[in-house]
Amino acid sequence: MPAFSQRIAASLIHRRQQGLARQLTPIVQGNTTDLHHQGSDYVNFSSNDYLGLASDKNLSKAWQTGIDRYGNGSGASPMVTGFSYAHRDLEDKLCQWLGYSRAVLYSSGFAANQAMLFGLLEKNDLLLQDRLNHASLIEAGMLSPATMKRFRHNDAQHLAHLLSDNTLVVTEGVFSMDGDTAPLIDIAQAIEGKGWLAVDDAHGIGVLGRQGRGSCDAAGVKPQLLVVTFGKAFGLSGAAIMCDQETGDYLSQFARHHVYSTAMPPSQAHAVAAAIEMIASQQWRRDKLDELYYCYDKALGGLQGYVHTQTPIKPFIVGQSDQTVSLANSLKDAGLWLTAIRPPTVPQGQARLRITLTANHTPQQIAKLATALQSRVEG
Ligand SMILES: Cc1ncc(COP(=O)(O)O)c(C=O)c1O
């Protein structure tokens, strides 16, 4: 008798008993900041659509143009017949914008991260990861044949201590649950000559750096491998690994998530290319975020749980999971949609509201959030 049913039931019961069960909630998304659920309206402080492009009408038009030009799906994996001029154009735009000679496209950031680590690592390699790296990176590292060690969060000295020859060091540019930025200059200096650096800039691309080129551009560091994702500031989905010519050739031959997976729809590749143009030319979106950070710091700065960041990700630390869920639910009564982030996504005792700002928010919405939080945290 297979043990699957028993195991599934036991895991679900355990998760519910811990108060950590999550729920899929269908919502209707307005302009990023408006969210509708079961007849009520909310201000959404939980999306990764940092620049407000997910609902941008010009970007929708670009996607429609892509459909008119290239049809619906790609119909095959890239090496078969799934690769089109739209994909080639997107690769070229990414390379030009970010200063790399190759871009290898994937359907998601999760796939890109797994492809990168599974594709590159062998048995005698050392993989060093920031201990707060995303699940896609940590999981791939654990399953890869390399030896994986985690260095203390943002601690380049600890990293230097662990380094040996043939090391791949992986960090996020902006940490997804904390909103802080990696010390990329120190990390790059520590690695110099000993290994390669890979930066997953899912949350920095579009938001930081000149014309939104991301965390590495902001730090003046060029890692050997840069993962950029299109599901956050780009308002779409998909991802690319940026690298040199030879590594790109290698990944497109050997990285299984590229070789054995249907290519993203060409219309989507066309839309991502349009998003790059908007991100690079519409500085006002980043300027708007800067204004909102100022409003946020001023309004929430004194509250217990507040954490200062220079990115759109603003963790508000509560501590215990049940308290965090109650706080998020109670904020819904005030028309504010926030998601409680609990272990195992964050360490035990550090459950939080992951507040995110987008260029579509208004100072009034932040003031409303501050008042609601203050009355609940202090009242
Ligand atoms: C740091 C980081 N990397 C990778 C991913 C995965 O990207 P995608 O959502 O495109 O699969 C995420 C998604 O949340 C992330 O936060």
Short mmCIF file of all heavy atoms in Angstrom, two decimals, residues 114-167:
data_model
loop_
_atom_site.label_atom_id
_atom_site.label_comp_id
_atom_site.label_asym_id
_atom_site.label_seq_id
_atom_site.Cartn_x
_atom_site.Cartn_y
_atom_site.Cartn_z
N GLN A 114 17.28 27.45 -10.69
CA GLN A 114 17.56 26.02 -10.62
C GLN A 114 18.45 25.61 -11.81
O GLN A 114 19.40 24.84 -11.65
CB GLN A 114 16.24 25.24 -10.62
CG GLN A 114 15.36 25.65 -9.44
CD GLN A 114 15.00 24.50 -8.52
OE1 GLN A 114 14.69 23.43 -8.97
NE2 GLN A 114 15.03 24.74 -7.23
N ALA A 115 18.13 26.14 -12.98
CA ALA A 115 18.93 25.82 -14.18
C ALA A 115 20.38 26.24 -13.97
O ALA A 115 21.31 25.51 -14.32
CB ALA A 115 18.35 26.53 -15.39
N MET A 116 20.57 27.42 -13.40
CA MET A 116 21.92 27.94 -13.20
C MET A 116 22.73 27.00 -12.28
O MET A 116 23.85 26.60 -12.61
CB MET A 116 21.84 29.35 -12.59
CG MET A 116 23.17 29.96 -12.23
SD MET A 116 22.98 31.68 -11.74
CE MET A 116 22.25 31.51 -10.11
N LEU A 117 22.14 26.63 -11.15
CA LEU A 117 22.91 25.83 -10.19
C LEU A 117 23.05 24.38 -10.65
O LEU A 117 24.15 23.81 -10.60
CB LEU A 117 22.28 25.90 -8.79
CG LEU A 117 22.25 27.31 -8.17
CD1 LEU A 117 21.89 27.23 -6.70
CD2 LEU A 117 23.58 28.03 -8.32
N PHE A 118 21.96 23.79 -11.13
CA PHE A 118 22.08 22.41 -11.62
C PHE A 118 22.99 22.35 -12.85
O PHE A 118 23.71 21.38 -13.05
CB PHE A 118 20.71 21.83 -11.99
CG PHE A 118 19.82 21.57 -10.80
CD1 PHE A 118 18.47 21.85 -10.85
CD2 PHE A 118 20.34 21.02 -9.64
CE1 PHE A 118 17.65 21.60 -9.76
CE2 PHE A 118 19.51 20.77 -8.54
CZ PHE A 118 18.17 21.07 -8.61
N GLY A 119 22.94 23.39 -13.68
CA GLY A 119 23.71 23.39 -14.91
C GLY A 119 25.21 23.53 -14.66
O GLY A 119 26.02 22.95 -15.38
N LEU A 120 25.58 24.30 -13.65
CA LEU A 120 27.00 24.64 -13.49
C LEU A 120 27.76 23.78 -12.50
O LEU A 120 28.97 23.59 -12.64
CB LEU A 120 27.14 26.10 -13.04
CG LEU A 120 26.79 27.17 -14.07
CD1 LEU A 120 26.92 28.55 -13.46
CD2 LEU A 120 27.72 27.05 -15.28
N LEU A 121 27.06 23.30 -11.47
CA LEU A 121 27.81 22.71 -10.35
C LEU A 121 28.12 21.23 -10.54
O LEU A 121 27.28 20.47 -11.02
CB LEU A 121 27.02 22.91 -9.05
CG LEU A 121 26.92 24.38 -8.62
CD1 LEU A 121 25.87 24.54 -7.52
CD2 LEU A 121 28.27 24.91 -8.15
N GLU A 122 29.34 20.87 -10.12
CA GLU A 122 29.73 19.47 -10.15
C GLU A 122 30.19 19.05 -8.76
O GLU A 122 30.28 19.88 -7.84
CB GLU A 122 30.85 19.26 -11.17
CG GLU A 122 30.30 19.45 -12.57
CD GLU A 122 31.27 19.02 -13.65
OE1 GLU A 122 32.38 18.56 -13.31
OE2 GLU A 122 30.89 19.14 -14.83
N LYS A 123 30.56 17.77 -8.66
CA LYS A 123 30.77 17.14 -7.35
C LYS A 123 31.80 17.87 -6.45
O LYS A 123 31.56 18.06 -5.28
CB LYS A 123 31.20 15.70 -7.56
CG LYS A 123 31.15 14.87 -6.32
CD LYS A 123 31.11 13.40 -6.64
CE LYS A 123 31.15 12.59 -5.36
NZ LYS A 123 32.46 12.04 -5.12
N ASN A 124 32.91 18.29 -7.02
CA ASN A 124 33.94 18.85 -6.14
C ASN A 124 33.88 20.36 -6.00
O ASN A 124 34.79 20.99 -5.48
CB ASN A 124 35.32 18.41 -6.63
CG ASN A 124 35.48 16.92 -6.43
OD1 ASN A 124 35.03 16.39 -5.41
ND2 ASN A 124 36.05 16.23 -7.41
N ASP A 125 32.78 20.95 -6.46
CA ASP A 125 32.63 22.40 -6.35
C ASP A 125 32.12 22.78 -4.96
O ASP A 125 31.47 21.98 -4.29
CB ASP A 125 31.62 22.92 -7.38
CG ASP A 125 32.10 22.70 -8.81
OD1 ASP A 125 33.32 22.59 -9.01
OD2 ASP A 125 31.24 22.64 -9.71
N LEU A 126 32.41 24.03 -4.59
CA LEU A 126 31.85 24.57 -3.35
C LEU A 126 30.85 25.65 -3.74
O LEU A 126 31.14 26.53 -4.55
CB LEU A 126 32.98 25.17 -2.49
CG LEU A 126 32.54 25.89 -1.22
CD1 LEU A 126 31.86 24.93 -0.24
CD2 LEU A 126 33.74 26.55 -0.52
N LEU A 127 29.67 25.58 -3.14
CA LEU A 127 28.63 26.58 -3.37
C LEU A 127 28.41 27.32 -2.06
O LEU A 127 28.10 26.70 -1.04
CB LEU A 127 27.33 25.88 -3.80
CG LEU A 127 26.07 26.74 -3.83
CD1 LEU A 127 26.17 27.81 -4.92
CD2 LEU A 127 24.83 25.88 -4.07
N LEU A 128 28.60 28.63 -2.09
CA LEU A 128 28.36 29.43 -0.88
C LEU A 128 27.16 30.32 -1.12
O LEU A 128 27.12 31.08 -2.10
CB LEU A 128 29.59 30.29 -0.55
CG LEU A 128 30.86 29.52 -0.18
CD1 LEU A 128 32.00 30.49 0.13
CD2 LEU A 128 30.61 28.61 1.03
N GLN A 129 26.19 30.23 -0.25
CA GLN A 129 24.97 31.02 -0.42
C GLN A 129 24.70 31.86 0.82
O GLN A 129 24.86 31.37 1.96
CB GLN A 129 23.77 30.10 -0.60
CG GLN A 129 23.83 29.21 -1.80
CD GLN A 129 22.44 29.05 -2.44
OE1 GLN A 129 21.74 30.02 -2.69
NE2 GLN A 129 22.07 27.83 -2.73
N ASP A 130 24.23 33.08 0.62
CA ASP A 130 23.72 33.86 1.75
C ASP A 130 22.59 33.04 2.37
O ASP A 130 21.76 32.47 1.67
CB ASP A 130 23.18 35.21 1.26
CG ASP A 130 22.80 36.12 2.43
OD1 ASP A 130 21.79 35.81 3.14
OD2 ASP A 130 23.50 37.12 2.64
N ARG A 131 22.58 33.01 3.69
CA ARG A 131 21.61 32.11 4.33
C ARG A 131 20.16 32.54 4.12
O ARG A 131 19.24 31.76 4.32
CB ARG A 131 21.92 31.90 5.82
CG ARG A 131 21.88 33.12 6.69
CD ARG A 131 22.15 32.76 8.14
NE ARG A 131 21.06 31.97 8.68
CZ ARG A 131 19.96 32.51 9.21
NH1 ARG A 131 19.82 33.81 9.29
NH2 ARG A 131 19.01 31.73 9.68
N LEU A 132 19.95 33.77 3.69
CA LEU A 132 18.57 34.21 3.44
C LEU A 132 18.17 34.13 1.96
O LEU A 132 17.14 34.67 1.57
CB LEU A 132 18.35 35.64 3.96
CG LEU A 132 18.46 35.84 5.47
CD1 LEU A 132 17.97 37.24 5.85
CD2 LEU A 132 17.67 34.79 6.24
N ASN A 133 19.00 33.46 1.14
CA ASN A 133 18.64 33.36 -0.28
C ASN A 133 17.29 32.67 -0.48
O ASN A 133 16.86 31.86 0.34
CB ASN A 133 19.72 32.57 -1.05
CG ASN A 133 20.87 33.46 -1.49
OD1 ASN A 133 20.83 34.68 -1.31
ND2 ASN A 133 21.90 32.86 -2.06
N HIS A 134 16.70 32.97 -1.64
CA HIS A 134 15.38 32.45 -2.00
C HIS A 134 15.36 30.92 -2.05
O HIS A 134 16.36 30.27 -2.37
CB HIS A 134 15.01 33.01 -3.39
CG HIS A 134 13.61 32.75 -3.79
ND1 HIS A 134 13.27 31.81 -4.73
CD2 HIS A 134 12.45 33.32 -3.38
CE1 HIS A 134 11.97 31.82 -4.90
NE2 HIS A 134 11.43 32.72 -4.10
N ALA A 135 14.19 30.37 -1.78
CA ALA A 135 14.00 28.91 -1.75
C ALA A 135 14.48 28.23 -3.04
O ALA A 135 15.02 27.12 -2.98
CB ALA A 135 12.52 28.61 -1.53
N SER A 136 14.31 28.88 -4.17
CA SER A 136 14.71 28.26 -5.44
C SER A 136 16.22 28.02 -5.46
O SER A 136 16.70 27.03 -6.03
CB SER A 136 14.31 29.15 -6.62
OG SER A 136 14.80 30.46 -6.45
N LEU A 137 16.97 28.91 -4.85
CA LEU A 137 18.44 28.80 -4.82
C LEU A 137 18.88 27.79 -3.77
O LEU A 137 19.75 26.94 -4.02
CB LEU A 137 19.06 30.17 -4.51
CG LEU A 137 18.89 31.24 -5.58
CD1 LEU A 137 19.19 32.63 -5.03
CD2 LEU A 137 19.79 30.94 -6.78
N ILE A 138 18.29 27.88 -2.60
CA ILE A 138 18.70 26.99 -1.51
C ILE A 138 18.36 25.55 -1.88
O ILE A 138 19.18 24.63 -1.72
CB ILE A 138 18.02 27.40 -0.18
CG1 ILE A 138 18.44 28.83 0.22
CG2 ILE A 138 18.34 26.39 0.92
CD1 ILE A 138 19.89 29.02 0.60
N GLU A 139 17.16 25.37 -2.43
CA GLU A 139 16.76 24.00 -2.79
C GLU A 139 17.67 23.43 -3.87
O GLU A 139 18.13 22.29 -3.78
CB GLU A 139 15.31 24.00 -3.26
CG GLU A 139 14.80 22.60 -3.48
CD GLU A 139 13.60 22.54 -4.40
OE1 GLU A 139 13.75 22.86 -5.60
OE2 GLU A 139 12.53 22.19 -3.92
N ALA A 140 17.96 24.23 -4.89
CA ALA A 140 18.82 23.74 -5.98
C ALA A 140 20.21 23.41 -5.42
O ALA A 140 20.83 22.42 -5.81
CB ALA A 140 18.92 24.76 -7.09
N GLY A 141 20.68 24.24 -4.51
CA GLY A 141 22.00 23.99 -3.91
C GLY A 141 22.02 22.68 -3.14
O GLY A 141 22.97 21.91 -3.22
N MET A 142 20.92 22.42 -2.40
CA MET A 142 20.88 21.19 -1.59
C MET A 142 20.83 19.96 -2.48
O MET A 142 21.39 18.93 -2.15
CB MET A 142 19.66 21.22 -0.66
CG MET A 142 19.87 22.20 0.48
SD MET A 142 18.64 22.16 1.79
CE MET A 142 17.11 22.03 0.97
N LEU A 143 20.15 20.08 -3.62
CA LEU A 143 19.99 18.93 -4.50
C LEU A 143 21.16 18.77 -5.48
O LEU A 143 21.28 17.75 -6.14
CB LEU A 143 18.68 19.05 -5.29
CG LEU A 143 17.40 19.03 -4.45
CD1 LEU A 143 16.18 19.26 -5.33
CD2 LEU A 143 17.26 17.71 -3.70
N SER A 144 22.00 19.79 -5.59
CA SER A 144 23.11 19.73 -6.55
C SER A 144 24.22 18.82 -6.01
O SER A 144 24.28 18.56 -4.80
CB SER A 144 23.67 21.14 -6.79
OG SER A 144 24.61 21.45 -5.80
N PRO A 145 25.13 18.36 -6.87
CA PRO A 145 26.22 17.49 -6.39
C PRO A 145 27.30 18.25 -5.62
O PRO A 145 28.17 17.63 -5.00
CB PRO A 145 26.80 16.91 -7.69
CG PRO A 145 26.33 17.78 -8.79
CD PRO A 145 25.12 18.51 -8.33
N ALA A 146 27.26 19.57 -5.64
CA ALA A 146 28.31 20.37 -4.97
C ALA A 146 28.11 20.35 -3.46
O ALA A 146 27.05 20.00 -2.96
CB ALA A 146 28.26 21.80 -5.47
N THR A 147 29.16 20.77 -2.74
CA THR A 147 29.01 20.97 -1.29
C THR A 147 28.47 22.38 -1.09
O THR A 147 29.05 23.35 -1.59
CB THR A 147 30.39 20.88 -0.60
OG1 THR A 147 30.92 19.60 -0.90
CG2 THR A 147 30.30 21.10 0.89
N MET A 148 27.36 22.48 -0.36
CA MET A 148 26.81 23.83 -0.13
C MET A 148 27.02 24.25 1.32
O MET A 148 26.79 23.47 2.24
CB MET A 148 25.31 23.85 -0.44
CG MET A 148 24.72 25.23 -0.19
SD MET A 148 23.01 25.39 -0.74
CE MET A 148 22.14 24.88 0.71
N LYS A 149 27.46 25.50 1.47
CA LYS A 149 27.51 26.10 2.81
C LYS A 149 26.81 27.44 2.73
O LYS A 149 26.83 28.09 1.67
CB LYS A 149 28.96 26.30 3.26
CG LYS A 149 29.69 25.01 3.49
CD LYS A 149 31.09 25.25 4.00
CE LYS A 149 31.81 23.90 4.11
NZ LYS A 149 33.26 24.09 4.22
N ARG A 150 26.24 27.84 3.86
CA ARG A 150 25.58 29.14 3.86
C ARG A 150 26.40 30.12 4.69
O ARG A 150 26.83 29.78 5.79
CB ARG A 150 24.20 29.03 4.51
CG ARG A 150 23.31 28.03 3.83
CD ARG A 150 21.93 28.24 4.36
NE ARG A 150 21.10 27.07 4.18
CZ ARG A 150 19.79 27.07 4.38
NH1 ARG A 150 19.20 28.17 4.80
NH2 ARG A 150 19.08 26.01 4.21
N PHE A 151 26.61 31.32 4.15
CA PHE A 151 27.31 32.32 4.96
C PHE A 151 26.29 33.21 5.65
O PHE A 151 25.15 33.33 5.21
CB PHE A 151 28.34 33.12 4.16
CG PHE A 151 27.83 33.85 2.94
CD1 PHE A 151 27.40 35.17 3.03
CD2 PHE A 151 27.78 33.23 1.70
CE1 PHE A 151 26.95 35.85 1.92
CE2 PHE A 151 27.32 33.90 0.57
CZ PHE A 151 26.91 35.22 0.69
N ARG A 152 26.73 33.83 6.76
CA ARG A 152 25.82 34.68 7.52
C ARG A 152 25.33 35.81 6.64
O ARG A 152 26.07 36.32 5.79
CB ARG A 152 26.53 35.23 8.77
CG ARG A 152 26.72 34.18 9.86
CD ARG A 152 27.09 34.81 11.18
NE ARG A 152 28.46 35.31 11.14
CZ ARG A 152 29.54 34.60 11.48
NH1 ARG A 152 29.42 33.36 11.92
NH2 ARG A 152 30.73 35.13 11.40
N HIS A 153 24.08 36.20 6.88
CA HIS A 153 23.43 37.16 5.99
C HIS A 153 24.26 38.44 5.81
O HIS A 153 24.62 39.09 6.79
CB HIS A 153 22.05 37.51 6.57
CG HIS A 153 21.32 38.53 5.76
ND1 HIS A 153 21.12 38.41 4.39
CD2 HIS A 153 20.77 39.72 6.11
CE1 HIS A 153 20.46 39.47 3.96
NE2 HIS A 153 20.24 40.28 4.98
N ASN A 154 24.57 38.74 4.56
CA ASN A 154 25.28 39.97 4.19
C ASN A 154 26.63 40.12 4.87
O ASN A 154 27.10 41.24 5.08
CB ASN A 154 24.41 41.21 4.48
CG ASN A 154 23.42 41.48 3.35
OD1 ASN A 154 23.52 40.89 2.28
ND2 ASN A 154 22.47 42.37 3.59
N ASP A 155 27.26 38.98 5.21
CA ASP A 155 28.52 39.03 5.95
C ASP A 155 29.67 38.58 5.02
O ASP A 155 29.98 37.39 4.89
CB ASP A 155 28.40 38.11 7.18
CG ASP A 155 29.59 38.24 8.12
OD1 ASP A 155 30.66 38.67 7.66
OD2 ASP A 155 29.44 37.90 9.30
N ALA A 156 30.31 39.57 4.38
CA ALA A 156 31.37 39.26 3.41
C ALA A 156 32.60 38.65 4.09
O ALA A 156 33.35 37.89 3.48
CB ALA A 156 31.75 40.52 2.63
N GLN A 157 32.78 38.98 5.37
CA GLN A 157 33.94 38.41 6.10
C GLN A 157 33.74 36.92 6.33
O GLN A 157 34.65 36.12 6.15
CB GLN A 157 34.10 39.10 7.43
CG GLN A 157 34.91 40.37 7.29
CD GLN A 157 35.22 40.99 8.63
OE1 GLN A 157 34.70 40.56 9.66
NE2 GLN A 157 36.05 42.00 8.61
N HIS A 158 32.54 36.57 6.72
CA HIS A 158 32.24 35.15 6.92
C HIS A 158 32.37 34.40 5.59
O HIS A 158 32.93 33.30 5.54
CB HIS A 158 30.82 34.98 7.50
CG HIS A 158 30.50 33.58 7.90
ND1 HIS A 158 29.26 33.02 7.74
CD2 HIS A 158 31.29 32.61 8.44
CE1 HIS A 158 29.29 31.76 8.17
NE2 HIS A 158 30.50 31.49 8.60
N LEU A 159 31.92 35.04 4.54
CA LEU A 159 32.04 34.44 3.21
C LEU A 159 33.52 34.21 2.87
O LEU A 159 33.91 33.12 2.43
CB LEU A 159 31.39 35.39 2.18
CG LEU A 159 31.78 35.22 0.72
CD1 LEU A 159 31.25 33.91 0.19
CD2 LEU A 159 31.23 36.37 -0.10
N ALA A 160 34.34 35.23 3.12
CA ALA A 160 35.78 35.11 2.80
C ALA A 160 36.40 33.95 3.56
O ALA A 160 37.26 33.23 3.05
CB ALA A 160 36.48 36.42 3.15
N HIS A 161 35.94 33.74 4.79
CA HIS A 161 36.45 32.68 5.65
C HIS A 161 36.12 31.29 5.06
O HIS A 161 36.90 30.35 5.21
CB HIS A 161 35.80 32.87 7.02
CG HIS A 161 36.22 31.90 8.04
ND1 HIS A 161 37.49 31.88 8.56
CD2 HIS A 161 35.55 30.88 8.63
CE1 HIS A 161 37.56 30.90 9.42
NE2 HIS A 161 36.41 30.28 9.48
N LEU A 162 34.98 31.19 4.40
CA LEU A 162 34.53 29.88 3.88
C LEU A 162 35.06 29.56 2.48
O LEU A 162 35.02 28.42 2.04
CB LEU A 162 32.99 29.84 3.83
CG LEU A 162 32.26 29.96 5.16
CD1 LEU A 162 30.74 30.05 4.93
CD2 LEU A 162 32.56 28.75 6.05
N LEU A 163 35.54 30.60 1.79
CA LEU A 163 35.93 30.44 0.37
C LEU A 163 37.06 29.44 0.17
O LEU A 163 37.96 29.35 0.99
CB LEU A 163 36.43 31.78 -0.16
CG LEU A 163 35.44 32.71 -0.84
CD1 LEU A 163 36.11 34.06 -1.06
CD2 LEU A 163 34.94 32.14 -2.15
N SER A 164 36.97 28.69 -0.93
CA SER A 164 38.16 27.95 -1.36
C SER A 164 38.17 28.02 -2.89
O SER A 164 37.37 28.74 -3.47
CB SER A 164 38.13 26.51 -0.84
OG SER A 164 37.27 25.74 -1.62
N ASP A 165 39.06 27.26 -3.54
CA ASP A 165 39.11 27.35 -5.00
C ASP A 165 37.83 26.80 -5.61
O ASP A 165 37.18 25.93 -5.02
CB ASP A 165 40.30 26.54 -5.53
CG ASP A 165 41.59 27.25 -5.15
OD1 ASP A 165 41.52 28.46 -4.84
OD2 ASP A 165 42.64 26.58 -5.14
N ASN A 166 37.52 27.27 -6.79
CA ASN A 166 36.35 26.78 -7.50
C ASN A 166 35.05 26.92 -6.71
O ASN A 166 34.33 25.95 -6.49
CB ASN A 166 36.54 25.32 -7.91
CG ASN A 166 36.20 25.18 -9.37
OD1 ASN A 166 36.45 26.12 -10.12
ND2 ASN A 166 35.60 24.09 -9.76
N THR A 167 34.81 28.13 -6.25
CA THR A 167 33.60 28.38 -5.47
C THR A 167 32.62 29.20 -6.29
O THR A 167 33.02 30.15 -6.97
CB THR A 167 33.94 29.17 -4.18
OG1 THR A 167 34.96 28.47 -3.48
CG2 THR A 167 32.74 29.35 -3.30
#
